[in-house]
Amino acid sequence: KDPGAHVQMWEAVLTFVKTYPQALSLVDVSKAVLPRLFALIRAGAHGSASESFPCLAPLLLLLASSSDAAAGGACTNGAAHLGVLSALWAALPVLKSDSKGSNAALEAFRECLTLAWHLKAKGGGKWGVDLEEEVLAPALQALLRREEPACSRAKLQSTIVACIEAAATRPNLQPVRADVLSTLSRALLSSPPLSAPSTCPSDAPPRLAALLAAL
């Protein structure tokens, strides 16, 4: 829990997993590793969010690359990614007085969700979670209902727009595009009327601007 040691901790963890990927087969990652990782994230990394959260997407990629997709498991079926994304969302209220940490959490949310979509699109192993329903939909609903967690609304809006942008435009995410845009449409249709108009970020793709303006 000492944030002063977290930079060195992450360097050691990422280097070890990259160098000795076979080590993952010697432990039950779902029981021995992921619960502690999720707890660390939910606690806002105990003060090191800006240093720790940028390491989450590289860690998830290494875990997925080092795991046997055919054997299933949290690292290849989406459970690890869902846990990290849910923990990042839960960390936002903890970081309400830490703008740097809050921004790091939202940036990590974007990176990890986009990575998860990429891995899902590749079709490695059996993907057992619905990221659109369990992660994207609640975030969209929070924005539309003005119930987002304590953080910068503009940054949260920009994060969600960037995620949808990626799904709508990147060729490697084409297999998940229909699910993502369907989730966006359902969220817009089910949301209550907005009390005040909202504007779309200027860098949003033109073909999505009309829908994203509702956020």
Side-chain angles (χ1 to χ4, degrees):
K1 295 183 178 181
D2 179 6
H6 287 182
V7 172
Q8 292 81 6
M9 176 193 76
W10 280 109
E11 182 179 354
V13 168
L14 293 175
T15 300
F16 180 81
V17 176
K18 183 177 181 179
T19 306
Y20 303 104
Q22 67 274 17
L24 292 177
S25 64
L26 303 178
V27 297
D28 187 336
V29 175
S30 297
K31 294 181 178 179
V33 178
L34 294 182
R36 295 183 181 185
L37 175 63
F38 300 157
L40 174 72
I41 298 170
R42 287 194 297 269
H46 303 292
S48 73
S50 58
E51 293 80 25
S52 293
F53 288 172
C55 299
L56 294 175
L59 176 63
L60 287 175
L61 180 58
L62 285 172
L63 290 176
S65 301
S66 304
S67 301
D68 182 2
C75 297
T76 57
N77 68 8
H81 308 80
L82 175 60
V84 166
L85 289 163
S86 298
L88 283 168
W89 188 261
L92 290 173
V94 177
L95 298 167
K96 61 184 178 182
S97 60
D98 180 1
S99 60
K100 192 174 180 181
S102 178
N103 287 344
L106 288 169
E107 180 63 15
F109 185 92
R110 181 192 66 78
E111 292 175 349
C112 292
L113 180 55
T114 305
L115 170 64
W117 279 337
H118 170 68
L119 295 173
K120 179 181 178 181
K122 283 178 63 178
K126 182 179 180 182
W127 199 267
V129 300
D130 187 341
L131 290 170
E132 295 75 42
E133 184 63 28
E134 299 191 54
V135 175
L136 181 61
L140 286 168
Q141 291 164 2
L143 275 172
L144 290 166
R145 296 173 182 172
R146 303 296 194 264
E147 296 172 350
E148 63 270 12
C151 64
S152 167
R153 176 178 173 79
K155 178 63 177 177
L156 179 58
Q157 182 187 50
S158 175
T159 299
I160 299 303
V161 168
C163 290
I164 297 172
E165 251 186 61
T169 60
R170 293 187 188 178
N172 66 312
L173 298 185
Q174 192 276 333
V176 303
R177 186 170 302 160
D179 289 340
V180 172
L181 295 181
S182 175
T183 300
L184 172 61
S185 298
R186 290 198 308 273
L188 291 171
L189 289 172
S190 64
S191 65
L194 300 179
S195 57
S198 180
T199 57
C200 184
S202 58
D203 59 348
R207 65 179 178 276
L208 293 177
L211 287 177
L212 295 177
L215 298 178

